[in-house]
Amino acid sequence: MLQSTPVYDICTLSDFREDDIIISRFAPYLAHHKNLHAAHRHTFYHLVLFTHGAGSHTIDFESFKVQPYQIYFMIPGQVHSWNFEGLTDGYVINFSSSFFNTFLLNPTYPENFSFFTGDFKDAVIDLPKTLHARIVALFEEIIKESESREPQNTDMIRLLMLQVFILTGRLSSSNSGPASYNKTLLKTFQKLVDLNYTRLKLPKDYAELLYITPNHLNAICKDLLGVQAGEVIRNRVLLEAKRLLTNPQLSIAEIAYALNFSDNSYFTKFFKKTENITPEEFRKKILNQNHHE
């Protein structure tokens, strides 16, 4: 599968590395990695709490205004860029997909939080004043543990991070109460789309894998997302197209082929129908933004 570039893993950011986690205050991290302003991908989970700063940051081509006591969460594979104004500080934690594997009986536990589903609407959270001091105190403890040589300091970091996840997760109504059968089906559908969007393009293909009818799948998507199942699939293809277009080394033909389109013109029609611009025009726009940042 073709990748958009650049792609950073934890080894790339080795000066801040300890096993499969990176913990840092944000200002020195940013000063050390000036190349991270331009659009890039991570192979790891990434979370930042801003305590000072202004400007904007972009997750999967959606722009957000930076402000103090905003926390954002990203999953592996998302495309990200920053455009800060003045001093920006806070905390950053990057951790691998396997970081909680040996610690929790259910290694996919973090995925239960809506901010780790890849939906940007849930991934950027402005913390209420009542949580400011408590969340900052937890990040300070995480920094302290990362610098200590105390026994089980990595496990203590995991416990502190889980507190951050739970306290932040409680702010979202989608994390409240037990998951309904339809919510579980939707989550499974979205995971299946993530794995198969290049080869399975029709709702009936996924309905078959879920042992439900296409009408039932459409009803679930309409009820919980407000869109039809076909749109969920098309949106995932479109997102990957945008991610790949951030790589100037890839031709439009290569991207069309990677996404399993029969030819360039069909891919261009598909892209323009939703975005109102051609893939080439989208690429120019993104590369110009990166250049100015």
Side-chain angles (χ1 to χ4, degrees):
M1 180 64 188
L2 297 175
Q3 283 280 20
S4 56
T5 56
V7 179
Y8 296 107
D9 59 25
I10 285 185
C11 297
T12 311
L13 311 175
S14 56
D15 285 5
F16 289 89
R17 187 183 181 201
E18 183 181 326
D19 297 318
D20 49 357
I21 187 164
I22 293 168
I23 298 163
S24 177
R25 296 187 189 279
F26 192 70
Y29 176 88
L30 187 63
H32 193 79
H33 298 291
K34 291 184 169 61
N35 52 325
L36 296 183
H37 281 89
H40 60 279
R41 268 183 168 182
H42 301 148
T43 63
F44 46 82
Y45 288 89
H46 170 73
L47 73 104
V48 170
L49 171 67
F50 294 119
T51 52
H52 303 281
S56 64
H57 61 108
T58 303
I59 300 174
D60 275 340
F61 314 101
E62 292 290 331
S63 190
F64 302 90
K65 187 179 172 186
V66 171
Q67 52 192 33
Y69 300 102
Q70 180 184 85
I71 189 168
Y72 74 82
F73 301 81
M74 285 181 57
I75 63 172
Q78 291 186 294
V79 170
H80 180 44
S81 62
W82 290 318
N83 186 15
F84 297 126
E85 295 167 11
L87 171 71
T88 304
D89 204 1
Y91 309 87
V92 56
I93 301 177
N94 299 329
F95 63 98
S96 71
S97 299
S98 60
F99 183 64
F100 287 100
N101 280 10
T102 57
F103 188 69
L104 296 172
L105 191 59
N106 174 13
T108 62
Y109 177 78
E111 293 176 21
N112 292 326
F113 297 101
S114 60
F115 46 72
F116 279 139
T117 61
D119 188 336
F120 60 84
K121 294 191 296 294
D122 293 318
V124 179
I125 299 156
D126 295 318
L127 297 172
K129 282 186 182 176
T130 51
L131 270 187
H132 288 186
R134 195 167 173 192
I135 296 288
V136 166
L138 284 168
F139 274 94
E140 281 295 328
E141 280 294 311
I142 290 168
I143 291 276
K144 185 177 163 188
E145 284 293 335
S146 73
E147 293 169 350
S148 82
R149 300 201 174 267
E150 294 289 332
Q152 283 97 35
N153 66 329
T154 307
D155 283 347
M156 183 63 83
I157 287 166
R158 291 183 176 103
L159 286 171
L160 292 163
M161 285 172 65
L162 287 171
Q163 287 186 67
V164 171
F165 297 167
I166 291 167
L167 285 170
T168 310
R170 285 174 177 171
L171 299 171
S172 168
S173 58
S174 56
N175 285 324
S176 60
S180 69
Y181 175 65
N182 280 354
K183 277 186 184 173
T184 305
L185 270 178
L186 177 64
K187 203 176 201 181
T188 307
F189 169 55
Q190 289 170 319
K191 281 187 177 179
L192 286 170
V193 171
D194 246 356
L195 292 169
N196 300 290
Y197 62 89
T198 58
R199 60 184 196 89
L200 300 181
K201 302 285 177 78
L202 300 173
K204 70 179 179 65
D205 298 326
Y206 294 95
E208 196 175 313
L209 292 172
L210 293 165
Y211 300 101
I212 60 176
T213 66
N215 283 347
H216 186 182
L217 180 57
N218 268 326
I220 290 169
C221 292
K222 197 74 179 163
D223 182 42
L224 297 175
L225 298 176
V227 296
Q228 301 273 16
E231 196 168 336
V232 174
I233 302 162
R234 286 190 295 276
N235 285 346
R236 183 61 186 89
V237 175
L238 185 69
L239 174 59
E240 199 61 29
K242 289 179 178 178
R243 288 173 173 177
L244 293 169
L245 285 163
T246 63
N247 180 1
Q249 305 304 315
L250 296 176
S251 71
I252 303 300
E254 284 174 313
I255 293 170
Y257 179 77
L259 296 174
N260 215 9
F261 284 90
S262 52
D263 58 52
N264 278 9
S265 61
Y266 181 40
F267 171 59
T268 299
K269 271 182 202 164
F270 167 83
F271 194 92
K272 192 171 181 180
K273 186 177 179 184
T274 311
E275 293 299 300
N276 296 318
I277 56 174
T278 66
E280 291 90 342
E281 288 164 342
F282 178 85
R283 168 175 274 168
K284 277 181 194 165
K285 187 173 106 177
I286 291 297
L287 295 178
N288 281 341
Q289 282 173 1
N290 287 347
H291 179 70
H292 289 118
E293 287 169 10

